[in-house]
Amino acid sequence: MPRTDGLKTKKMILQVAEELFAEKGFDGTSISMIAKAAKVNRALIYYHFKDKNDLVVSLFRSIIEELG
């Protein structure tokens, strides 16, 4: 997978996670739910993020970067 595709996939996972966290909350959203909504497998999420906490930290960092 070319690097740009990996970055697009990571951004898409973050977007889906943001929507689910907003709708269901952090505790109410599982990695499986994110994977299903993003139409990727869980392994791909774990390829990009250590765990759900790492995913939410990355999400906050991307939001802060967009604001800056």
Side-chain angles (χ1 to χ4, degrees):
M1 173 181 296
R3 179 88 174 133
T4 55
D5 287 346
L7 291 175
K8 287 179 187 177
T9 301
K10 186 174 181 176
K11 286 181 181 183
M12 185 262 308
I13 292 168
L14 286 170
Q15 181 181 10
V16 169
E18 180 179 11
E19 292 168 5
L20 288 173
F21 290 150
E23 180 183 328
K24 300 181 182 302
F26 180 77
D27 289 333
T29 303
S30 67
I31 291 291
S32 294
M33 292 167 70
I34 296 168
K36 184 177 180 181
K39 297 180 181 151
V40 299
N41 62 39
R42 289 171 39 127
L44 187 58
I45 293 176
Y46 287 114
Y47 175 80
H48 290 287
F49 307 99
K50 180 179 174 184
D51 54 23
K52 191 167 79 165
N53 290 324
D54 184 40
L55 196 157
V56 81
V57 167
S58 295
L59 177 60
F60 284 129
R61 284 185 180 145
S62 71
I63 290 169
I64 290 169
E65 287 175 10
E66 287 177 12
L67 295 174

